[in-house]
Amino acid sequence: LAVTHANDGLLQVHGEDRQMLDDGIAAQLAAGRTQPRYHADSRPPIVEAVGTQTAIEVARARGTPVYFVHVTSQAAVDVIAAAREAGEPVMAETCPQYLVLDDSCYEAPDEECARFVISPPLRPKPDQDALWAALVDGRLDLIATDSVPDHLADEKVYRGQSFDTISNGSPGIETLLPVVWGRGVSTGRLTPSQAVDLLATTPARMFGLSRKGAVEVGKDADLVLLAAVERWTIRAADQHHSSDFTLFEGMEVQGRIKRTIVRGEDVVRDGQFVGQRGYGRFQPRSIR
């Protein structure tokens, strides 16, 4: 924290209290509840709320801004909102999986359930509504992926081991826009302009990418052409990431990416990569 403060950095925090988390895991294991479904029970929303509050207080003591990654619950949003109302430099994101999936996923068979071992875990449906509302009114700043390219035959394989030994994470980069548009914009939860702000404008501004985030002269803008009303089904087999699964398998969404254009050249067309490796350019960030 001292180094971050001295270099005018932005502290990014996973908002779960370590002691409460360790105690929750130990209690589940001691009771013989070792299957993947008990992952969520080991870290309820109060664990996230307490960890978020503690991080805010520590950052306040140092006079350092703080950014919370993958916020999942109403309880954590309330803590963040209270700090912001008090003038604290607190920022936060959520992720698509927390907006469209809920804790009913932990009722799946153990082998399938293992893929939903992510932290923080999926929450009940009322928390979904709270997250959408917080994105609309500004209590949450943006939507990110928290992408981890795990594999079902390796990090996510379940052979009877306890849930705390299963890798935490899931892929999500390629499904970010389709899920946000398909379950946010197309359903009326977000306007197109709000989606652009949450996915592009705000992230670029917040993380110092001054040449990104807007379609303007002098900017380095990648352009995405979206068929806004086309319906399609998300399948892992159609994805281009190195992982072999998606949490959104079989989900029907509205809005399909048709082209992605970088510096006037197509790099994706009709779901296929048509660009060249090495065509990308490094984009430096300014410090805060």
Side-chain angles (χ1 to χ4, degrees), residues 1-64:
L1 183 58
V3 173
T4 302
H5 179 66
N7 289 277
D8 196 24
L10 178 61
L11 183 68
Q12 298 190 46
V13 175
H14 173 112
E16 289 186 298
D17 182 83
R18 182 79 253 178
Q19 188 60 59
M20 295 179 71
L21 179 57
D22 289 343
D23 290 347
I25 293 173
Q28 296 296 323
L29 299 183
R33 296 189 286 267
T34 63
Q35 296 98 320
R37 70 190 61 194
Y38 297 112
H39 166 71
D41 292 340
S42 74
R43 49 215 307 158
I46 186 61
V47 175
E48 185 181 14
V50 170
T52 301
Q53 183 65 59
T54 300
I56 289 173
E57 293 174 358
V58 172
R60 180 190 304 129
R62 285 284 187 174
T64 300

Side-chain angles (χ1 to χ4, degrees), residues 167-245:
S167 175
N168 277 230
S170 65
I173 293 175
E174 192 169 350
T175 48
L176 174 61
L177 176 55
V179 171
V180 171
W181 188 278
R183 293 301 178 93
V185 177
S186 68
T187 62
R189 286 184 178 272
L190 298 174
T191 67
S193 294
Q194 287 171 328
V196 170
D197 184 72
L198 292 165
L199 296 176
T201 308
T202 293
R205 171 179 50 79
M206 191 170 290
F207 293 101
L209 287 166
S210 59
R211 299 190 66 232
K212 291 289 188 179
V215 182
E216 297 175 355
V217 174
K219 297 281 190 180
D220 187 285
D222 304 335
L223 303 179
V224 174
L225 302 185
L226 184 80
V229 298
E230 181 175 336
R231 292 188 175 276
W232 61 288
T233 300
I234 297 174
R235 304 287 186 192
D238 300 325
Q239 302 288 291
H240 298 83
H241 53 218
S242 62
S243 187
D244 58 356
F245 76 101

Side-chain angles (χ1 to χ4, degrees), residues 95-144:
C95 305
Q97 57 267 32
Y98 301 119
L99 293 169
V100 301
L101 301 176
D102 61 67
D103 60 353
S104 65
C105 293
Y106 297 114
E107 299 171 6
D110 290 336
E111 292 75 12
E112 180 181 348
C113 185
R115 70 187 63 188
F116 298 102
V117 174
I118 59 177
S119 293
L122 300 174
R123 304 297 191 190
K125 286 187 176 181
D127 286 295
Q128 288 183 4
D129 294 333
L131 295 175
W132 283 112
L135 289 169
V136 171
D137 65 24
R139 287 172 293 158
L140 291 176
D141 297 284
L142 57 93
I143 307 172

